[in-house]
Amino acid sequence: MPPAPGVYTFHGESPLPLYIGKSVNIRGRVLDHIRTPDEARLLSLTRRFSFVRTAGDIGAQLLEAQQVKLQQPLFNKRLRRNKWLCTITLQAGELCITDVHDAGDTASFGLYPSRFAAVEALREIADTHLLCYSRLGIEKLPAGRTCFRHALKRCAGVCCGAEPEDDHRQRLLAALIDRHVHAWPYPGAVGIVEKSDELQQIHVVRNWHYLGTADTLAKARKLDQPSASFDRDCYRILVRPLITGAAEIREL
């Protein structure tokens, strides 16, 4: 195995893999597995290794996430399913919890595995920033009533006029900003170019969904097919390099 970026696989007796991982140094990472006592069970079932080279870390992360979902290895506990997700959105000034199909809404915040998880996130935000449960849709409050949390000084009082609605809205937006889900910043698919001394790869992505990898732009353009639903893992891998301009991009 080379001391280079890529994805490696532990194989046992079954046709399905035992474990799929990625590293910028395949050889070093596999040796780490072998030297780790806590991985004795995985190693006892392993009969052979295989690997796929990539030109860089982005390609390794994208390929790992894709292959774990496709092959469902026994020992991979994360990346195994592209779960149906919820997000918190602002629609006409109202807070809503909606299903995620695309990250195309510039006013959406956070990615959650269920509506319950989204509500719990809102509850945590409210508790931290003295926001009103009723204004966030967490609790229903009869007209003209002040919420109980205000009496406990856990709500700044938008529900009783002690805080202006505008101030409450601005504090909510400030609290949500770190959870902002970026809209896809291109009109269509793009190729993310990675190069090593002997290898060039173009990773094709559309609407935060990984479509595949090619070694030329001509081949990459043929991968520009309609994308599937929003992929949280792909988003997390790519949002920083794409938004900050750290990656080399070719529009397709």
Side-chain angles (χ1 to χ4, degrees):
M1 290 188 171
V7 171
Y8 58 89
T9 302
F10 286 62
H11 300 274
E13 301 288 355
S14 168
L16 293 176
L18 295 171
Y19 182 81
I20 296 175
K22 62 88 185 172
S23 179
V24 293
N25 183 333
I26 299 170
R27 178 179 174 81
R29 186 68 188 99
V30 171
L31 287 173
D32 286 343
H33 283 287
I34 292 171
R35 293 165 180 156
T36 303
D38 290 345
E39 300 190 7
R41 181 165 177 260
L42 168 61
L43 296 171
S44 71
L45 296 172
T46 299
R47 297 295 175 265
R48 65 184 179 90
F49 304 105
S50 66
F51 69 90
V52 177
R53 274 290 319 276
T54 62
D57 186 43
I58 291 176
Q61 292 185 67
L62 290 172
L63 183 60
E64 178 203 30
Q66 179 198 62
Q67 290 304 306
V68 168
K69 289 186 183 73
L70 287 174
Q71 301 194 57
Q72 298 286 298
L74 178 64
F75 285 86
N76 285 86
K77 295 182 180 178
R78 50 183 289 274
L79 301 174
R80 289 187 61 165
R81 294 181 183 85
N82 191 21
K83 296 178 179 178
W84 193 262
L85 301 172
C86 294
T87 187
I88 299 166
T89 62
L90 284 172
Q91 300 177 9
E94 294 295 320
L95 208 63
C96 303
I97 296 173
T98 60
D99 294 330
V100 174
H101 297 286
D102 292 299
D105 190 339
T106 54
S108 59
F109 306 91
L111 299 170
Y112 308 99
S114 66
R115 296 182 68 84
F116 176 80
V119 170
E120 287 303 298
L122 281 176
R123 198 182 302 276
E124 179 184 345
I125 289 169
D127 291 344
T128 303
H129 297 276
L130 301 181
L131 299 170
C132 183
Y133 279 8
S134 65
R135 289 297 189 276
L136 302 187
I138 298 173
E139 292 180 354
K140 290 185 178 179
L141 191 66
R145 292 284 300 275
T146 301
C147 77
F148 181 64
R149 291 176 67 255
H150 177 60
L152 299 176
K153 298 185 178 179
R154 294 179 182 174
C155 163
V158 67
C159 49
C160 63
E163 178 185 37
E165 293 277 357
D166 239 19
D167 289 2
H168 184 272
R169 187 177 298 108
Q170 291 305 315
R171 291 197 303 110
L172 170 61
L173 287 172
L176 287 171
I177 197 65
D178 287 342
R179 301 168 188 249
H180 176 54
V181 179
H182 290 272
W184 177 244
Y186 299 96
V190 300
I192 301 165
V193 181
E194 282 193 303
K195 300 175 183 177
S196 63
D197 292 338
E198 73 284 5
L199 186 63
Q200 171 181 285
Q201 292 182 321
I202 303 168
H203 315 299
V204 181
V205 183
R206 185 177 185 178
N207 293 339
W208 303 113
H209 188 86
Y210 174 50
L211 302 179
T213 293
D215 56 4
T216 68
L217 278 173
K219 292 178 182 177
R221 290 189 179 100
K222 293 180 180 179
L223 296 173
D224 183 14
Q225 300 299 317
S227 58
S229 60
F230 177 80
D231 189 315
R232 174 176 56 180
D233 299 316
C234 187
Y235 176 82
R236 287 176 172 169
I237 292 166
L238 293 176
V239 63
R240 185 179 296 276
L242 261 62
I243 297 300
T244 62
E248 182 182 345
I249 304 297
R250 295 284 184 271
E251 291 196 40
L252 303 176

